[in-house]
Amino acid sequence: MNASFDEMNSASGVRAHYGAYRRWLDEQSGAMMQARRDEAELVFRRVGITFAVYGAPGDDGAGTERLIPFDVIPRVIPQHEWQQLEAGLRQRVTALNRFVHDVYHGREILRAGVVPVDQVLRNAQYRREMEGVDVPGGVYSHIAGIDIVRAGNADGSGTYYVLEDNLRVPSGVSYMLENRKMMMRLFPELFAQHRVAPVAHYPDLLLDTLRAVAPAGVAEPSVVVLTPGMYNSAYFEHAFLAQQMGVELVEGQDLFVRDGFAYMRTTQGPQRIDVIYRRVDDDFLDPQAFRRDSTLGCAGLLDVYRNGNLTLANAIGTGVADDKSIYPYVPKMIEFYLGEKPLLHNVPTYVCRDPQDLSFVLDHLPELVVKEVHGAGGYGMLVGPAATRGEIAAFHERLLANPGNYIAQPTLSLSTCPTYVDAGIAPRHIDLRPFVLSGKTVQMVPGGLTRVALKEGSLVVNSSQGGGTKDTWVLEV
């Protein structure tokens, strides 16, 4: 499981699905590739494709806007592999949506003892306000970003694993789309030589998904994208998706509630809103129901939602299913709700609230990755093999003080892909975030966002930690 796996090269040579690209790459000069790399950076800066980095305490770069580095060498996935991934993703997200509906209704999985009751009902992301609330089609996570990694096996093959489920407000899809546009601009000849499955229709699929889950009886639903505002780290994406779908981008101050419905202020007067693709966390959506000090949402929104006069994508309370302490139970959910064996593997996970697991983790900290159950962005985690003795000792104390706040996993050697760095072409670790849309059907565009750890040897691919991105090609033949 910890053997290295290179996406392009095997011990016996170049992998078949990379053959044509590798022959092309070998013919290119370093000067040409550097020129294309510079052109990509210039265009991304001109367009304003940046990522606001909040940073950790003491980080001098915190609060700045950075360009997410773009790598000019694509990650290529053969069609048969993508078909297997797609089937596994469809299965997984279907089960997760069933789970969220169940825990807010019959709680059959809790009564069956498959998932511990307190793991759900005492979860920080569990929203009692959603108990008994029916949502259109039983869909809670309309847009899911599922993080996939590949680790090598002793026989030289690779196995895909789900590293994380992002079911609340997953980001990154705009970079998937812009990366493809950039590759087609820089290397049009490659798309004549390869049958690469398209991704440009994602905004159309997203809009269809959102319209499909409008409240009952609404023939022509009005859809908006709700953003926290221009200072949010993913604001570029919010504006981009609204523009691509042809819908309004709104902030909380643009909305109000009257007579049981939600409205948007416009220059022509109030306009009723039926579906909100919200990029605002639960806590900030409605100051009457959640955080009183929030100025990012709209007062009264929860009541409109609970009464069935508004759809929120993703649903309030969905976060109970993407908590890292719930993740170990997803394979059991698939068997419980669907009666099927999981098509995609979980990474083996130690739940530190379990005394036996905690004892093992404390004894093996230098070998493990330890994560906060609500952590994100690569913060609040320990990568044992790369940590100092002091960092390991500090995490030892944190685990003893609050074991329920952590899970631990083996240190996977994520697969590598040739990447164009300052020193030339070198292997760098990658992951993949496909975006799964759930409405009347479950669908996705082929591929997703490939993130790459640009620091040599680093396993942290997050943009907030200096990671970059690649275009992801799924070959149609």
Side-chain angles (χ1 to χ4, degrees), residues 9-28:
N9 305 299
S10 71
S12 57
V14 178
R15 301 188 193 278
H17 58 282
Y18 260 107
Y21 176 79
R22 180 57 187 267
R23 287 191 293 273
W24 175 90
L25 183 62
D26 289 343
E27 295 172 357
Q28 310 310 310

Side-chain angles (χ1 to χ4, degrees), residues 139-467:
V139 178
Y140 288 78
S141 183
H142 308 85
I143 303 97
I146 309 297
D147 291 346
I148 304 284
V149 297
R150 174 144 60 174
N153 302 315
D155 62 1
S157 64
T159 301
Y160 286 109
Y161 294 88
V162 174
L163 186 65
E164 195 169 289
D165 303 296
N166 299 283
L167 306 179
R168 285 174 277 176
V169 283
S171 63
V173 75
S174 60
Y175 303 103
M176 174 190 81
L177 296 170
E178 289 291 351
N179 287 353
R180 175 60 54 82
K181 285 169 60 178
M182 180 58 68
M183 286 295 286
M184 295 180 78
R185 171 188 177 127
L186 297 178
F187 308 108
E189 70 276 18
L190 286 173
F191 292 87
Q193 298 169 15
H194 296 78
R195 289 186 58 184
V196 181
V199 296
H201 58 297
Y202 176 86
D204 296 332
L205 290 184
L206 175 59
L207 185 57
D208 288 346
T209 297
L210 295 173
R211 286 176 169 164
V213 294
V218 178
E220 295 293 332
S222 173
V223 178
V224 299
V225 177
L226 174 63
T227 176
M230 64 183 296
Y231 297 107
N232 182 266
S233 63
Y235 179 74
F236 164 79
E237 177 158 298
H238 307 163
F240 175 87
L241 289 175
Q243 188 271 331
Q244 292 290 307
M245 288 191 290
V247 305
E248 293 294 332
L249 179 69
V250 300
E251 297 183 29
Q253 61 193 6
D254 300 319
L255 304 178
F256 68 94
V257 167
R258 185 173 67 195
D259 299 329
F261 293 93
Y263 293 87
M264 168 178 60
R265 295 181 174 89
T266 76
T267 54
Q268 285 79 40
Q271 178 182 335
R272 181 175 152 181
I273 301 301
D274 304 302
V275 181
I276 297 178
Y277 175 25
R278 51 100 173 201
R279 301 298 293 262
V280 174
D281 290 338
D282 287 357
D283 285 339
F284 301 96
L285 264 179
D286 183 345
Q288 288 183 355
F290 303 114
R291 285 189 52 159
R292 303 285 178 180
D293 60 344
S294 173
T295 59
L296 303 179
C298 171
L301 214 55
L302 178 63
D303 285 341
V304 179
Y305 181 49
R306 285 166 53 95
N307 290 332
N309 294 327
L310 175 71
T311 297
L312 293 172
N314 288 343
I316 293 172
T318 302
V320 71
D322 72 6
D323 182 294
K324 292 180 180 65
S325 68
I326 295 295
Y327 162 90
Y329 301 99
V330 178
K332 293 181 179 179
M333 291 178 199
I334 292 169
E335 296 190 24
F336 184 82
Y337 294 116
L338 307 181
E340 301 169 358
K341 292 293 184 183
L343 298 174
L344 291 173
H345 299 276
N346 266 24
V347 177
T349 301
Y350 303 97
V351 180
C352 295
R353 64 189 294 276
D354 179 279
Q356 192 171 347
D357 280 7
L358 175 63
S359 177
F360 178 87
V361 171
L362 291 173
D363 288 343
H364 295 84
L365 277 178
E367 307 159 24
L368 301 172
V369 175
V370 186
K371 304 175 183 178
E372 291 182 340
V373 296
H374 298 300
Y379 297 116
M381 64 187 291
L382 174 80
V383 180
T388 65
R389 286 185 179 180
E391 290 168 338
I392 290 172
F395 243 87
H396 192 281
E397 295 306 311
R398 289 189 208 174
L399 284 164
L400 287 174
N402 189 6
N405 194 43
Y406 296 93
I407 57 101
Q409 296 169 333
T411 306
L412 287 184
S413 181
L414 308 187
S415 68
T416 61
C417 186
T419 301
Y420 199 91
V421 296
D422 290 340
I425 297 175
R428 292 292 185 268
H429 294 290
I430 59 171
D431 78 351
L432 175 68
R433 176 176 289 182
F435 295 90
V436 185
L437 300 175
S438 300
K440 288 184 177 176
T441 61
V442 179
Q443 54 190 337
M444 63 205 84
V445 297
L449 178 67
T450 290
R451 300 183 298 179
V452 53
L454 293 173
K455 296 176 184 175
E456 184 176 2
S458 174
L459 297 172
V460 183
V461 298
N462 304 78
S463 303
S464 53
Q465 301 286 313

